[in-house]
Each structure stands twice: as structure tokens, then as C-alpha cells.
Amino acid sequence: MFKNSKKLSRSDSSASATSEELEEQNQRIAAGADNLLRLCQTVNQAQASTSNLKSLKDLGGVKGLASALFTDLSRGVELPTVEARRDAFGPNSLPSAPRKSFVELFIDTFDDATLQILIVSAVVSLAVGMYDDPTAGYVEGCAILAAVLVVSFVTAANDYQKESQFRELSATHDESVDVVVRRNGVYWQIAVTEIVVGDVVCVETGDEIPCDGIVISQDGLQVDESALTGEPIDIDKNAESDPFMLSGCTVVAGSGQFLAIAVGKNSQWGIIKSKLEKEQEQTPLQEKLDDMAALIGYVGIAAAAATFVSMMFIKIVFDPAELKETSVFSYALEAFIIGVTIVVVAVPEGLPLAVTISLAFSTKKMLADQNLIRHLAACETMGNATNICSDKTGTLTENRMTVVKGVFADTRCDDTANRVPVLISKKALEYILDCIACCSTARVIFPDDDEPADEEEEEATIVDPLSPPVDRRPRIIGNKTEAALLLLAQSEWTPNDDTDERRKAAGFDSGESRLFPFSSKRKRMSALVKKETSVVTSAATPASSQKTSTVRSWTLYHKGAAELVLENCTRYLDIDGTEQPMSDRKRREFKKMIKKFASEALRCVAMAHRCEVEKLAEPSKCTVEECEKKLEKEMCLDAIAGIMDPLRSDVVEAVATCQRAGIFVRMVTGDNLDTAVAIAKQAGILMEGGISMIGEDFRNLTPAELDEVLPKLQVLARSSPEDKHILVQRLNGALMPETEEEWLELHPGKDFNTQKDKLLPGYKEEWSVSRHGVGEVVGVTGDGTNDGPALKAADVGLSMGISGTDVAKKASDIIILDDKFSSIVKAVLWGRSVFDNIRKFLQFQLTVNVVALTITFLSAVAGYQPPLNAVMMLWVNLIMDTMGALALGTEPPRNELLDRRPYARDASLISRPMWRNILCQSLYQLALLVFLLNQGPRMFGCEDGSTRHFTILFNAFVFCQVFNEFNAREIGDRFDPIRSLSKSPMFLLVIAFTVVAQWFIVEFGGDFTQTAPLSFDEWRLTIGMGAFSLPVGFLMRLIPVAEDPQTFAGIERTKAKKDRSWLTVLLAVLLPIFIAIMYQLYVEIDEIDEAYEHV
């Protein structure tokens, strides 16, 4: 019939449909499936309860909708129609993407454009090298392929490890939950995945709602919708005001039955999860790396082409004597081989490795800062985030209702959130504590005393990141507002009262006392508590002791909306525990206090009592109506409590740090506008001139109107998941519909030509024009299911590890393990550090590339082999690639990185100051090479062009790179090459290894490296020549070259003005020097050729 089902009751006696009627019903369901789906959607729009309720009434209420879905509310669906309903409306499940294997992740790494260029270069180099020199021609090509394989392996291993960590983190949820439904008049227990549209579903306290539905009947039903809507208050569900049950939410009180109207992908939870299946576009770092690889490739190809043309021009036009015996074809082949060599030298094969090492290193370190990185690229992307769209509940706030201030026994307490002990008499405190304990249906469960302590658990979290984070706070069962008062009573505020014992002593379980639970209609609740007190009947005399008798009396404890409770109070509790008459002045004072609390977005709850109510009515037989009419009058006001979901302790400072770092922080929440505005002001998010808006107004804007609002939009309240998704799309252009078909898929039934510029989120072409094709880099924080789509569309999605739902975690790129907003700031700091480390490596590597490219080009044009042979160049490449990546890619972050603006999405990886540094260091190294080619033999007393001569040149060149590595630690104007060296052990290790390895290669390389041992003086002089890179590094930073303001985010993009930077002047000065070096090199090489001819 249906699998894994269990019959719980017998069929009722109501008549069932005949087989013919059932067959007709199945046919009508199949034929009208689309219309029925649209009908259900009209009453199931996200965050639109008012319009949903109106649509439901238009359909005749839940009975009318059930009739349209062919459901008998008393019997449920007929069993023979279940399969037809599943075929028509879909199953109550969504397919989950299978985990990628290591091999699949390894293959995916080759989608990177830089790696593809390297592979092509390696293949060409292998082919040409083997043709030109079969014995050693394979070295360069194999080295490049080895670098590619290392990068791919490390990237795949990191991705696989992060996915394993995430799956361990999410392994606590089991979707194979059972639920009770009514079919054929029988209660069945079935798997959640077996539910169909039209089912009558039964839920009770603690159940997770398995699908969307409309309440049929209920008994005190309350639902926590914070995971889906962001609303922190439990919602009363009834047929009159709010009958809508939303999938993924939790029943916190009562029980009920509802009609299933949307399952699987059509439910609110399913709609959110389906948006997570779309993959995000490239990250800003990937875009920059692809652009950089393409640019360097073009430069290399241009240099190779120039070399080939120059050599062929010399051969054909001048045909010098040394080339007369060489045929045009042979020389053309030789020119082609040299051109390929130039391309290979130009391609930065170490760049992907540097990126991977830097990201992998930072990812490991960020675990200690409570950031679990699921995707490596997200680490860097977060550093240049220009916008953070944060959820409120559970992210900025604790998602825990708390008494933050109040008036207790006419005593003002403004710091109850920190549990400062209240200074009132014991008698007054007893009244308040009895009211809190007895007027409550909630329970607070504290962690067991034998569980690990907080410090141990935190240490375990850092050491073993695979351990799921644990919420060590007390667990709440029932109403969150009532629990807030219980937590206050059980804290140091009282101090540490046992409310469970008070409730037990009141005798609710034995029936001695009575409770009228909170009603959303009355907005109040009452408890009638039977008390026994001892009364002295006769005083003690010399002949007899004091006599007492037990008197039984009833006390009314009352709690509810402050303004309603105050109206029914004629007395108030004083600090000494006595009851004082409520004067008009005192009543105005309390009303003013309630109004002030409300203006601060506090939920005001008042507590009152009345003694000896048995004189007014019979408490044991009293009804709620009689209690309200006779007893809830002339009460004594005990306390007024201001309750709210408070900010996390670290939020204010963290938000201020983000704003100082140039990041625009926005709050996007499903909560009401007043509460959202109050919290945003406390957090420092909503500032003067900022705009706050509700979701209904937001979604009615056109794309152009929204673009005008975005620069000042700081709070979006009463927003649906779709609103948050659209906001992110509009900011960064992610997953924006690009074609008419994609637009129509988002807006079924609309006309593309007439409405494309009127409906959000717009379309790709229009968005690109409005932003010059460059969007913001957006980080989104969230913990609820409702945050899933926005987390996926963001450049970086950050979910909460403790309070976050599985949907939020699966959609995110970074999981904040400790749920602290300050950990997001650490993610920004590490991200900026990664970006700067990549730029440091680029500055270092491109210097070597420019020198090697120029030397190779000039040598080829002059008809002379480069002074550095293949093995030497391989060692230099190793220094700049693997060693450079390890040294510069693992530099620790510095707090000063948070004092600058983020870089724009289209900002180049190489800034103007970096170009200055590259050009100046390249010029020095070129000048040194030319000097050693010319004056080296005379200076060191060696034969011109000998192995020893070229070893001296090679040693000086390598030590130029060693000392330039210190220069590369700074990419701006600051010159401090040894700053924080003690915090960079990897840098020191790499430098030490490079020096030792260089000594070994020079002294013992012999024929393999074509080097000769050097004397102490030769070592001293060549090291000194390399060390001169440091004073060059100081002098070059004196040249005033500033970064282009348009490379930073937040700067208005205007037509670029004429560049008046000193970089232009620098280029003008260096160009003739560069030409002079080229000419000198040509002359020296020509002289060496003549010397060899004489020999």
C-alpha cells in the first residue's frame, strides 16, 4: 500500500468512496494538477500571511480548499488516491547531490585557466625540448607538469578534507523521521517522505513540521518559525488569525492537525533548498587570476613573436657571417624553439601553487579562530567583501529571549541581562518568584553537571575540528518569553532560585492548584495556587506553649501584556513587600515606563498577584471566564519586565571594525520593523541617514528604484527568503537571469518585453549596464533555513555552527563554529592576509620573470645562448615557485589590514606601487647581469664565458632573489623587511634552505649543473651584490607612487582622468636606461663571440 507504514487505529464508520468514484477522482487530480498547484500557491506565499489569509477565505476556508483537493477532513485522503497525488504534486523529498570522490575533485581542478595554460606550455616545451636536446630537453616541461600535479593534488585534498569535516558536522540530522497522518479514517504512522498533498497531518510538541499546510484543528498550538522567517517569538496557530504551517519549523507547544498543501520542492523549505542547487559564478580571486594568467600569456607570446621576427629579420636581411652556413629552415626552427622557451619562462607556473599554499595554510590557521572553511577560495574572497548582509536572529542576537531590564517591587533594574542581584526584600522577591514559577508552562533544562566543562569543550573544538560544536546554554522547552523569566529566576539575580521546586510545592501535578495557560486572545495567563500558612491562635504562657493552626488560602498569580495587567491593578508591591495603593501619579509613572520599554523594542510583561481569592469565587471549580471576570481585578502589580532577544556581546565592536574596514553592514530579518530598527541601532548598523524598509515595500520596487535605495539601505525587515536572495543578486549579480527563458522561469505568466525592467531582480544585461559590469563582493551571514538561498548566491556564505540549520550549513562557504560575529571579522582579516600574500608572491615572481624574459630575448636576438642554462633556470624557478610560495604565502595577518578599504572586484592583482617595485628591482638585476657579463672576468680573475664566470653570475642572481624575498614582504611604501620575522618561521626556514641548497649546487653540482666551486671572496662578493637589493628596495620606495583610488571599493566610478602618477615619470626615466642595458648586453655578447672565434 505504502512502504514503512504502521496502522495506529481502526477505520471509522463513515462511508468510503466507491472504486468508480475513486478512479474518477484520480483522473481529475491528474488532469487538474497544475491548477491545483497554483490554487495552493495563492495561500502559501512567503512572508505574506495577510494576503494568504484573504485568499484562503475567498476559497471558503480550509474546508473549501480541502474540497478542491478531494480531501474529506474527517477521513483524510483515500488510500487508492495516494499514488495519483504523488504523481501529480510530487514526493515530499528532494534529491541530494552525491558526494564527489577525490578523483572527481582532482579532475575538477583542471578547469582553472592558469593550469590549462601551464599544461599547454608544458606539452609544447616537452615536444620542442625533446626534439632540440633528447638527453635533457624534457627537464623544463616535466618540471611544469610536476608543478601542475602538485597544485591539483593539494587543492583536491583540501576540498576533500573540508567536505569530510562538514559532513561530520552535519551528521547529527536524520531525515528518516516518522509522522502521523489520517487516511481512510485511520491513523497511520508513515515516513515523512510518504506525505502527499491533501493528507491530514497530526503534530504535537517537539515535532518538526514536515510540509506546508493549513490548520484544521488545534489545542494550544504554538510554532517556532525563527529558522524560516527570522521571527524570534513563538507564533500561535489557529484557524482565525494564522492557520499556516510552514515546513522546517518546530511545534513548541500544543498539538493539532493540518491539511498538507505543498510538499517537496513546492513547499517553503523545498523552494529554499532548490535555490541552493544553482552554482555560483567565479570568485573575484579566480577572475583576477584568470586575467593575470591571460595577460602574462599575451606578454610571453608577444615577446616570443618579437624574438622570432627579429631573428628571422637578422638572418634574411643582414645574414651575418656566422649564420651563412645555417639554412633558413634550421634557423627558423631554432628561433621557434627560443620563442617557446620565452613563453615557458613568462608563464608563472608558481602562481597557482602560491595561491593554493596560502589558502591551505590560512584555512588550517582559521580553525583556531573558529572558522571552518568549506571552500578554499572563500577564504580570500571574504577579505575583499564590500557588503555583509547579516541575519538578525541567532547571528547578531543570541536567539534567546532574555529579561534585560525591568521594575521589580517598585525598584528599577537596568542590568538584569548581566544578572546583577536585585536589591529588594525577601518578602517582595517571594511574590515575584512564585509568579514566575507558577505562571508558566515552559521548562528550562540545564546541561548535566557530569558533562565536560566549557573550557575543555572549547579546546576539543580547536584540536578536533571534526567534532560538532555543542550549545552549552540551557535548553528551552515551551514558550520563550516564559523561559526568559525562568532563566532570570534561576540566575544570580535572585540568587539561583529553584523554580521547579516552587512549582512542585504548588501542587499542580496533584491537582491542588490550577493553571489557565497563556491565550493569544486574552494576552494573559493566570494560576490559582493553594497555600498553607501557620497562624498563631494563642500566645505562649508560663503554663502552656504557643498554639498555631494551619490556614489554607488561595492566591492568584497573573502574568501578561503589561498595559492590560496594569489596567486591572489597584495596588503595587513596594520594595519592603507591602502593598501600596496605586495613585494616579504612580499609574502614569508605570505607563511611561511601559511606553519607554516598548520604544526600545522590548516585549513588556507584567506580573501581579491577589491574595485570598477564595472569598470571591470557588477556585477549584472556577472557569477561565469566571477568573477573568471576578478574580483578575484589583490586583497588586509586582513587576514589569522588559524582554528581548539581546545582541551578542561581541557584535557592537565587530560591526564597528567592519565599518572601519570599509565594509557596508546590512541587517536583513523576518522580524518586525520596530524591533529590527532598535537592534540595528544598538549594533551600530543603522546610522543617521540610513534607510530601513519592510519586505513588502522592497519587493514592489523596480530594479532601477532599488539601485537608488541600495547605497543607504541598512535594515530590511519582514523580509522573505526571496527578498534576501534578490538583495544579494542585485548587489553582486550572482545567478541573475541572463536569457529570456531564465527570466520567464522566475516570473511565470509575465511578459518579458514589457516587464523585464519592472520586476526584481532584473536581468543580467540591464544589471551589467547599471554597474559597468562590476558588482559588489557580498558576504551573507545566517543560521536559519530561510537564509539558504542568499548564502548560496553570496560570494561568501557564512553560517552558524551551533545554532545553524543543516540547510544553512550546506549552503555556506564558511561555518562560524562559535556563532560569534567577531569570528567573521577574523575571517575578513585572514582573507585580506591571503590576498596580500598572493600579491607579495606575484611581486617577487614577476621580478624574476621580467629579468629572465629580457635576458633570454636579448641573448636570442644577439645570437648567443642565455648565460643561465636549463638546470640553473630550473633551480631559479624552484626558488620563485615552491620556495617563494611557501615563504610569502604563509605570512601571518596583521591587524592594520583592517584599516583599509576592500579592493574592488575588478581591481588588478598588481598595483602601481608593485609595478614600481618590480621595475626597479628588475632594472637593478639586469644591470648586475650585464655588469658581470662585461666586468666579471676582470673583477674575479676568471676566463670570459667559462663555467666559473657563469657560476659567479648565477650565484649573484640567486642571492638577488634571496634578498628580494625580504623586499617582497612589503608591497607598499613601507620598508621594514625584517618586521615580525619571529612570527614567520616558514619564511626563515625557506631562506635557510635556499642558501644551503645554493651552496650545495655551486660547490658539488659539477657537470650536472655546469657550476664550479667558488672561493670565499667570490662567495662574499656575490652575496654582497645580491644583498644590494635591500638598499635598492629602500630607495625605490622613496619614489612617490600611490595606488589608483578606483582600485578600492566604494569609490564612484567616473571617467578615468589622465594619470599624473609618478609611475609614468618612472617609466619615462627607466626606458632609456633599459635601452642602454640592451645595447650594452648586445655589445658584450658580440665581444665574447669574437673572443671565441680567435680561440
Side-chain angles (χ1 to χ4, degrees):
M1 191 177 298
F2 44 92
K3 57 186 177 181
N4 301 326
S5 61
K6 183 180 179 182
K7 193 172 182 178
L8 301 179
S9 67
R10 294 182 178 180
S11 176
D12 62 17
S13 57
S14 57
S16 60
T18 64
S19 58
E20 291 80 6
E21 291 173 335
L22 291 174
E23 181 62 30
E24 181 185 355
Q25 195 176 112
N26 284 340
Q27 292 174 359
R28 293 176 66 184
I29 289 173
D34 290 340
N35 291 330
L36 290 174
L37 275 174
R38 281 195 289 270
L39 185 70
C40 292
Q41 288 170 355
T42 60
V43 298
N44 196 32
Q45 300 295 316
Q47 288 288 72
S49 57
T50 303
S51 61
N52 288 343
L53 193 60
K54 181 178 182 302
S55 300
L56 182 62
K57 289 179 179 178
D58 293 341
L59 292 172
V62 66
K63 291 183 179 179
L65 184 57
S67 176
L69 294 173
F70 307 103
T71 297
D72 183 340
L73 294 180
S74 63
R75 288 177 54 83
V77 302
E78 300 295 332
L79 288 177
T81 68
V82 170
E83 288 304 321
R85 292 172 183 272
R86 187 171 288 113
D87 293 339
F89 304 113
N92 192 35
S93 61
L94 287 170
S96 58
R99 176 177 181 172
K100 286 188 175 182
S101 67
F102 178 83
V103 174
E104 290 175 312
L105 291 171
F106 182 76
I107 294 172
D108 287 347
T109 61
F110 294 101
D111 290 337
D112 184 84
T114 307
L115 290 185
Q116 291 170 353
I117 293 173
L118 286 175
I119 291 170
V120 172
S121 298
V123 171
V124 174
S125 179
L126 268 175
V128 174
M130 292 298 291
Y131 175 84
D132 184 49
D133 183 6
T135 58
Y138 62 88
V139 173
E140 185 70 28
C142 287
I144 296 174
L145 283 178
V148 170
L149 289 175
V150 169
V151 169
S152 298
F153 182 84
V154 172
T155 303
N158 269 282
D159 288 343
Y160 191 83
Q161 181 188 19
K162 300 310 164 192
E163 184 64 19
S164 297
Q165 289 176 342
F166 171 71
R167 287 180 181 268
E168 288 284 341
L169 197 66
S170 305
T172 57
H173 185 70
D174 182 12
E175 294 189 354
S176 59
V177 181
D178 289 340
V179 68
V180 176
V181 298
R182 189 171 173 84
R183 293 176 177 175
N184 266 46
V186 180
Y187 288 104
W188 295 82
Q189 183 173 313
I190 65 172
V192 166
T193 54
E194 298 293 319
I195 294 175
V196 296
V197 170
D199 261 328
V200 174
V201 183
C202 306
V203 291
E204 58 185 17
T205 303
D207 288 347
E208 185 173 300
I209 300 171
C211 59
D212 296 346
I214 307 293
V215 170
I216 300 170
S217 62
Q218 56 86 28
D219 181 13
L221 186 63
Q222 288 187 325
V223 176
D224 177 6
E225 295 184 349
S226 61
L228 197 66
T229 66
E231 176 68 63
I233 306 299
D234 298 334
I235 308 298
D236 293 300
K237 295 294 178 180
N238 54 67
E240 293 77 29
S241 60
D242 189 351
F244 306 105
M245 305 288 280
L246 303 177
S247 54
C249 300
T250 305
V251 177
V252 294
S255 60
Q257 297 184 353
F258 66 89
L259 174 69
I261 62 170
V263 298
K265 65 179 182 180
N266 296 314
S267 66
Q268 292 295 322
W269 178 84
I271 291 171
I272 288 172
K273 196 167 182 182
S274 64
K275 295 181 185 299
L276 309 185
E277 296 173 1
K278 296 181 179 179
E279 289 300 321
Q280 172 61 290
E281 298 171 1
Q282 282 191 318
T283 66
L285 175 62
Q286 290 169 329
E287 294 171 359
K288 289 181 174 70
L289 290 174
D290 288 350
D291 292 344
M292 177 59 59
L295 176 62
I296 293 175
Y298 293 147
V299 171
I301 292 172
T307 301
F308 183 83
V309 171
S310 299
M311 290 179 68
M312 294 307 297
F313 180 80
I314 293 171
K315 168 64 178 174
I316 295 172
V317 176
F318 298 103
D319 195 18
E322 63 271 16
L323 298 179
K324 287 190 180 294
E325 296 182 2
T326 305
S327 67
V328 174
F329 175 78
S330 298
Y331 196 69
L333 183 60
E334 183 182 349
F336 177 76
I337 292 172
I338 292 174
V340 171
T341 304
I342 287 176
V343 172
V344 171
V345 169
V347 172
E349 57 264 43
L351 180 56
L353 184 63
V355 173
T356 302
I357 288 175
S358 186
L359 290 175
F361 170 79
S362 301
T363 296
K364 302 282 187 191
K365 291 292 186 181
M366 287 175 73
L367 271 179
D369 286 335
Q370 300 298 304
N371 285 266
L372 172 60
I373 310 299
R374 292 193 62 221
H375 301 118
L376 277 180
C379 178
E380 179 278 331
T381 307
M382 192 63 207
N384 283 321
T386 59
N387 280 248
I388 292 180
C389 299
S390 176
D391 182 34
K392 178 182 76 69
T393 307
T395 305
L396 295 171
T397 65
E398 295 181 357
N399 196 16
R400 176 65 49 95
M401 299 302 289
T402 304
V403 180
V404 295
K405 60 176 61 176
V407 178
F408 302 92
D410 199 30
T411 303
R412 181 75 179 267
C413 298
D414 287 334
D415 200 17
T416 55
N418 292 321
R419 306 315 193 209
V420 176
V422 61
L423 301 176
I424 59 176
S425 68
K426 184 176 180 180
K427 181 181 179 182
L429 186 59
E430 284 294 312
Y431 277 118
I432 296 171
L433 292 176
D434 280 342
C435 185
I436 291 174
C438 298
C439 256
S440 177
T441 57
R443 286 186 63 205
V444 178
I445 300 177
F446 287 86
D448 294 336
D449 294 334
D450 57 352
E451 291 185 7
D454 286 357
E455 291 181 7
E456 295 175 2
E457 209 158 76
E458 286 176 7
E459 185 178 348
T461 302
I462 295 173
V463 173
D464 183 10
L466 296 180
S467 300
V470 179
D471 191 351
R472 299 291 304 163
R473 300 181 304 175
R475 187 160 60 95
I476 303 301
I477 299 177
N479 186 280
K480 294 179 180 178
T481 303
E482 293 177 11
L485 292 166
L486 290 175
L487 286 169
L488 178 69
Q490 297 178 30
S491 69
E492 293 80 4
W493 181 79
T494 52
N496 303 311
D497 189 71
D498 191 338
T499 54
D500 291 336
E501 279 298 318
R502 284 182 181 273
R503 185 174 176 79
K504 184 178 179 180
F508 285 100
D509 295 336
S510 61
E512 294 181 9
S513 298
R514 303 190 62 198
L515 178 67
F516 301 112
F518 181 84
S519 163
S520 58
K521 184 178 181 180
R522 287 185 352 110
K523 294 186 177 180
R524 289 171 287 174
M525 68 184 300
S526 292
L528 295 171
V529 179
K530 190 176 183 179
K531 289 193 170 186
E532 295 183 353
T533 55
S534 296
V535 179
V536 178
T537 56
S538 63
T541 65
S544 63
S545 60
Q546 177 180 287
K547 295 183 178 180
T548 61
S549 63
T550 302
V551 178
R552 293 180 175 85
S553 65
W554 290 78
T555 301
L556 167 76
Y557 291 105
H558 186 67
K559 182 175 69 180
E563 63 276 6
L564 298 179
V565 174
L566 179 62
E567 285 181 8
N568 294 315
C569 290
T570 56
R571 300 179 305 281
Y572 68 91
L573 188 67
D574 207 351
I575 189 172
D576 59 0
T578 60
E579 297 182 8
Q580 303 294 333
M582 180 78 73
S583 64
D584 290 340
R585 184 188 64 80
K586 201 67 179 176
R587 189 178 297 276
R588 286 194 300 271
E589 185 180 315
F590 284 128
K591 284 184 176 180
K592 184 178 179 181
M593 186 68 61
I594 293 171
K595 188 175 181 180
K596 184 176 186 300
F597 283 4
S599 69
E600 298 172 4
L602 300 181
R603 192 175 194 185
C604 297
V605 175
M607 290 168 276
H609 78 277
R610 187 174 185 179
C611 300
E612 300 180 346
V613 293
E614 70 274 8
K615 298 176 181 179
L616 304 173
E618 179 59 44
S620 61
K621 299 179 181 178
C622 186
T623 63
V624 65
E625 290 80 11
E626 189 178 4
C627 179
E628 182 176 2
K629 185 176 181 180
K630 295 182 179 181
L631 307 184
E632 295 174 2
K633 305 287 184 182
E634 299 180 6
M635 296 181 292
C636 175
L637 180 67
D638 298 332
I640 299 174
I643 302 175
M644 72 181 300
D645 184 9
L647 282 175
R648 292 183 181 274
S649 58
D650 60 318
V651 163
V652 175
E653 182 181 354
V655 168
T657 302
C658 286
Q659 291 168 341
R660 189 178 75 248
I663 303 172
F664 194 117
V665 182
R666 310 173 194 265
M667 177 196 290
V668 186
T669 177
D671 208 347
N672 67 73
L673 184 62
D674 291 338
T675 302
V677 166
I679 292 292
K681 286 181 177 178
Q682 289 180 30
I685 293 174
L686 184 60
M687 297 178 288
E688 187 176 351
I691 295 176
S692 57
M693 181 181 290
I694 60 173
E696 187 175 354
D697 296 335
F698 174 85
R699 66 184 73 108
N700 288 329
L701 296 173
T702 65
E705 290 171 341
L706 178 56
D707 287 347
E708 293 181 7
V709 172
L710 279 179
K712 294 185 178 180
L713 180 62
Q714 294 171 344
V715 177
L716 182 59
R718 285 294 182 205
S719 62
S720 68
E722 184 65 21
D723 295 334
K724 194 170 186 177
H725 188 243
I726 288 173
L727 175 63
V728 175
Q729 282 181 300
R730 201 65 205 168
L731 285 169
N732 69 355
L735 310 179
M736 190 76 75
E738 297 186 18
T739 63
E740 183 175 345
E741 291 73 19
E742 291 180 2
W743 190 92
L744 290 173
E745 186 179 342
L746 279 178
H747 307 287
K750 304 294 184 180
D751 181 61
F752 176 75
N753 293 322
T754 59
Q755 295 180 289
K756 62 182 180 180
D757 294 320
K758 296 181 180 179
L759 298 178
L760 291 172
Y763 57 99
K764 194 73 172 184
E765 182 182 354
E766 166 269 330
W767 178 88
S768 297
V769 170
S770 67
R771 284 163 175 75
H772 308 289
V774 180
E776 304 286 346
V777 179
V778 183
V780 170
T781 70
D783 66 336
T785 302
N786 59 318
D787 300 313
L791 288 169
K792 192 70 174 179
D795 294 288
V796 182
L798 304 106
S799 64
M800 301 295 131
I802 298 174
S803 60
T805 63
D806 285 340
V807 171
K809 291 175 187 175
K810 288 175 183 175
S812 64
D813 303 295
I814 300 175
I815 299 176
I816 307 300
L817 295 176
D818 58 2
D819 282 17
K820 293 182 178 179
F821 197 85
S822 57
S823 294
I824 298 171
V825 177
K826 294 176 183 176
V828 173
L829 177 62
W830 273 104
R832 294 193 175 186
S833 177
V834 168
F835 186 73
D836 272 18
N837 287 350
I838 292 170
R839 300 177 94 194
K840 291 173 186 176
F841 173 78
L842 260 178
Q843 177 175 281
F844 172 66
Q845 189 187 44
L846 289 182
T847 301
V848 185
N849 277 20
V850 168
V851 175
L853 194 76
T854 306
I855 286 292
T856 305
F857 171 73
L858 295 179
S859 299
V861 172
Y864 183 69
Q865 290 299 319
L868 301 180
N869 60 49
V871 177
M872 291 177 178
M873 282 305 301
L874 186 61
W875 170 235
V876 171
N877 276 341
L878 184 64
I879 293 174
M880 19 175 239
D881 295 348
T882 308
M883 296 295 101
L886 280 171
L888 298 172
T890 56
E891 289 273 275
R894 298 165 180 164
N895 288 329
E896 66 195 46
L897 294 174
L898 294 175
D899 293 331
R900 75 170 189 224
R901 291 175 177 270
Y903 285 102
R905 195 182 193 104
D906 61 339
S908 173
L909 275 172
I910 306 178
S911 64
R912 288 174 176 173
M914 288 173 65
W915 275 122
R916 172 199 63 193
N917 300 345
I918 292 168
L919 291 172
C920 288
Q921 285 292 337
S922 299
L923 184 65
Y924 166 69
Q925 292 182 21
L926 279 171
L928 179 62
L929 288 178
V930 171
F931 172 79
L932 289 176
L933 274 173
N934 180 24
Q935 303 298 328
R938 186 169 53 190
M939 181 177 181
F940 291 96
C942 62
E943 187 179 347
D944 201 351
S946 65
T947 301
R948 188 174 164 216
H949 177 200
F950 286 152
T951 301
I952 290 169
L953 188 145
F954 168 59
N955 205 42
F957 184 60
V958 166
F959 275 98
C960 279
Q961 313 320 316
V962 169
F963 288 99
N964 191 38
E965 211 155 356
F966 285 89
N967 273 320
R969 296 184 72 228
E970 300 286 351
I971 55 178
D973 290 335
R974 179 167 180 165
F975 179 75
D976 191 357
I978 60 172
R979 179 162 65 135
S980 304
L981 265 182
S982 60
K983 297 179 181 178
S984 303
M986 184 60 72
F987 182 89
L988 294 174
L989 188 64
V990 166
I991 294 297
F993 173 81
T994 303
V995 172
V996 171
Q998 176 65 14
W999 173 80
F1000 186 84
I1001 289 171
V1002 169
E1003 295 297 319
F1004 304 103
D1007 292 337
F1008 177 74
T1009 56
Q1010 296 179 27
T1011 56
L1014 301 180
S1015 66
F1016 175 77
D1017 286 338
E1018 289 168 343
W1019 274 101
R1020 181 171 54 82
L1021 287 172
T1022 51
I1023 291 174
M1025 291 173 180
F1028 200 74
S1029 294
L1030 290 177
V1032 170
F1034 170 75
L1035 293 172
M1036 71 187 183
R1037 286 179 168 87
L1038 298 179
I1039 303 172
V1041 177
E1043 288 210 56
D1044 184 355
Q1046 291 199 6
T1047 61
F1048 293 102
I1051 304 298
E1052 184 179 357
R1053 296 179 180 277
T1054 57
K1055 187 176 180 181
K1057 297 180 180 179
K1058 187 176 179 181
D1059 184 12
R1060 299 184 183 277
S1061 167
W1062 273 85
L1063 184 62
T1064 307
V1065 179
L1066 177 63
L1067 288 172
V1069 172
L1070 292 180
L1071 186 60
I1073 300 175
F1074 184 69
I1075 293 172
I1077 291 173
M1078 289 173 61
Y1079 176 76
Q1080 182 65 25
L1081 182 63
Y1082 180 83
V1083 171
E1084 297 304 328
I1085 292 172
D1086 189 50
E1087 290 177 358
I1088 292 172
D1089 282 342
E1090 291 178 1
Y1092 276 120
E1093 286 177 5
H1094 289 302
V1095 173

